[in-house]
Amino acid sequence: MGDMKWHAELAWLGDEVAADVLLEANGERFTAVTSGVPAPEGATRLAGLTLPGLADAHSHAFHRALRGRAQLGSGTFWTWREQMYGVAARLDPDSYHALARAVYAEMALAGISCVGEFHYLHHGPDGVPYDNPNAMGEALIAAAADAGIRITLLDACYLAGGIGRPLEGPQLRFGDGSAGDWARRLGTLYDDVHKAGRPHARIGAAIHSVRAVPREQIHAVATWAFERGTPLHVHLSEQPAENEACLRAYGMSPTRLLAECGALGARTVAVHATHLSDDDIGLLGATMTGVCMCPTTERDLADGIGPAGRLRDAGAPICLGSDQHAVIDLFEEARAVELDERLLTRRRGHWHAGELLAAATSNGHYGLGWPEAGRLEPGAYADLVTVSLDSVRLAGTRREFAAESAVFAATAADVRHVVVSGRQIVRTGDHLLIDDVPEALATAIDAVTGVSHE
């Protein structure tokens, strides 16, 4: 890739929406961003509002196979989990690659340039490692490349079926035996990715939860990540039952336990953080631990509404994820942060549009270990997503409230153009690398659910 130019009708530059913005890049990075200039010859015109590429900071790609199916009947998070285990039991490296490739293509069509894949489906049936013990992770990395997006593979340590309980059934595929064995397996993948020159991929670590990683092993996982400067993600207080079990076992909340084990900090992202005490919020804020809110999942699974505003005010950066992919739409996730606060407080205006766009862009990229992404500025990765302003949802939008229109009315269906690392992967709503994304999704989902769509 050489020199490239795009001319945006409108572009969000972090603190304002500017008109007639020329974006120039050489290779993967922007070299200049200039507003108020006419389109030069050869520049690609971008009609609508152009944003930095979106970051989906929390994904479980295989959960996409549950969309719709998990809506049948009633239940709780725990009954939903049994359905999820059923899909997990059927996957192998080939079927996982096919499914993730299609899911990541769906993300690209929604304007997502980077995904944080929280990966714990490591081994074969009954927990027997594949010949390549990182075959499942490699399948995800390859799937992201095929779909044209970047990935941070957040390889999760998952050692217990609950505090004091062994892994059983489908969970056996998740476990490595100990944090040391997890680190040895992941170290091989980390070295392979960094030495093999796969610029679209980075490796991070994850503690699945305090339910799944015993206290004495948490520090080892955190140390592995901090020594390498990689992100560390952890499911935190998604359910009250997790808090209650942690209190019984350790005499403290999950947040306090993570703090005492040295697992909080500016490179850590706590996912969900739904059921927190004042002390928990203070700990996360004081350590500058990021928090990934996944509102469409948290409401779909009846988890509850997290204290996003209080976490922000305490100093915890907020980012966004689509988690189980009930929908893949970062605009929906962003506005839900504000709208959920309105339901709780019966007051409007907790978050302004710029804050929510930052949560969907720069904050998410930072939390995934790509601090040089998520902004339209020289030196940043040349990622952009253009939202059409002439759909029935956005017709009538003007420059002075274009950011508000995008956050509170746009959907993934309004995305027209997507560029990732200087490479266009979506043009006029069509994926340029995968011919028929709906067909790819249907075929891949059939393969892991045993149901034909024909």
Side-chain angles (χ1 to χ4, degrees):
M1 292 182 291
D3 293 333
M4 292 159 288
K5 297 178 181 180
W6 303 270
H7 190 265
E9 178 186 3
L10 298 173
W12 181 68
L13 301 182
D15 55 0
E16 65 171 349
V17 173
D20 296 318
V21 178
L22 178 64
L23 301 117
E24 301 175 80
N26 181 271
E28 294 187 333
R29 307 286 183 125
F30 288 122
T31 55
V33 177
T34 311
S35 59
V37 296
E41 184 178 352
T44 299
R45 303 291 186 98
L46 301 174
L49 174 65
T50 295
L51 308 167
L54 308 178
D56 190 335
H58 189 69
S59 163
H60 300 295
F62 75 93
H63 292 189
R64 172 63 177 84
L66 294 171
R67 186 184 296 177
R69 291 169 173 82
Q71 311 305 323
L72 296 170
S74 60
T76 66
F77 167 86
W78 306 103
T79 54
W80 168 88
R81 191 175 72 159
E82 293 305 313
Q83 293 180 279
M84 179 268 288
Y85 285 164
V87 173
R90 298 177 65 96
L91 285 161
D92 60 31
D94 289 339
S95 61
Y96 205 5
H97 172 264
L99 179 58
R101 173 180 178 271
V103 173
Y104 295 157
E106 182 181 358
M107 289 184 183
L109 290 171
I112 293 164
S113 61
C114 186
V115 60
E117 184 62 37
F118 197 105
H119 170 53
Y120 54 82
L121 184 50
H122 302 306
H123 304 299
D126 299 322
V128 178
Y130 292 102
D131 291 341
N132 174 358
N134 288 302
M136 296 293 263
E138 292 278 12
L140 293 164
I141 291 170
D146 291 345
I149 68 173
R150 293 195 302 274
I151 185 171
T152 298
L153 188 76
L154 299 159
D155 193 291
C157 185
Y158 196 131
L159 305 174
I163 298 176
R165 301 207 319 266
L167 297 173
E168 58 184 11
Q171 295 174 334
L172 293 170
R173 302 190 69 177
F174 309 159
D176 286 295
S178 70
D181 290 333
W182 165 85
R184 280 183 282 275
R185 177 183 56 75
L186 182 55
T188 300
L189 181 61
Y190 178 86
D191 290 342
D192 287 348
V193 167
H194 283 261
K195 291 176 181 177
R198 286 182 272 185
H200 81 289
R202 291 181 181 176
I203 302 298
I207 297 163
H208 178 273
S209 61
V210 301
R211 291 183 290 107
V213 182
R215 177 178 187 167
E216 64 273 13
Q217 309 265 11
I218 291 174
H219 179 71
V221 180
T223 299
W224 188 95
F226 294 158
E227 285 180 347
R228 290 162 180 78
T230 73
L232 174 66
H233 287 219
V234 54
H235 291 129
L236 178 64
S237 294
E238 183 177 4
Q239 289 287 321
E242 176 184 310
N243 292 353
E244 294 159 5
C246 190
L247 183 62
R248 286 194 304 269
Y250 304 121
M252 64 187 74
S253 72
T255 304
R256 175 62 66 179
L257 178 63
L258 292 171
E260 294 202 357
C261 292
L264 300 184
R267 292 186 181 275
T268 299
V269 174
V271 182
H272 302 304
T274 306
H275 303 282
L276 302 180
S277 67
D278 291 343
D279 179 64
D280 295 335
I281 292 171
L283 280 170
L284 294 170
T287 56
M288 295 184 292
T289 298
V291 174
C292 181
M293 313 300 291
C294 306
T296 66
T297 291
E298 288 146 10
R299 69 191 183 204
D300 183 69
L301 298 182
D303 287 343
I305 298 172
R310 294 172 62 205
L311 284 161
R312 172 203 56 192
D313 295 345
I318 302 298
C319 57
L320 302 170
S322 59
D323 192 359
Q324 58 132 347
H325 312 311
V327 295
I328 294 178
D329 189 333
L330 266 289
F331 299 104
E332 175 65 22
E333 305 292 349
R335 63 175 156 266
V337 172
E338 164 66 20
L339 298 179
D340 284 352
E341 294 265 15
R342 294 182 186 184
L343 289 174
L344 281 175
T345 65
R346 290 177 290 176
R347 184 171 61 83
R348 305 171 77 234
H350 302 269
W351 297 76
H352 59 73
E355 289 179 296
L356 295 172
L357 286 174
T361 56
S362 56
N363 289 4
H365 288 286
Y366 182 89
L368 294 177
W370 301 85
E372 61 273 67
R375 299 176 305 281
L376 301 179
E377 64 182 37
Y381 274 96
D383 299 347
L384 59 85
V385 50
T386 300
V387 177
S388 169
L389 298 180
D390 58 6
S391 72
V392 293
R393 290 167 294 279
L394 296 173
T397 294
R398 298 291 180 265
R399 173 183 171 183
E400 57 268 25
F401 53 84
E404 287 74 14
S405 291
V407 169
F408 291 102
T411 73
D414 295 309
V415 170
R416 288 293 172 268
H417 306 291
V418 180
V419 172
V420 180
S421 299
R423 178 192 191 191
Q424 185 149 14
I425 58 170
V426 175
R427 180 183 295 126
T428 60
D430 294 324
H431 202 289
L432 301 181
L433 307 180
I434 297 175
D435 289 337
D436 190 336
V437 176
E439 175 64 21
L441 282 163
T443 300
I445 290 168
D446 286 352
V448 298
T449 59
V451 178
S452 175
H453 69 279
E454 295 180 354

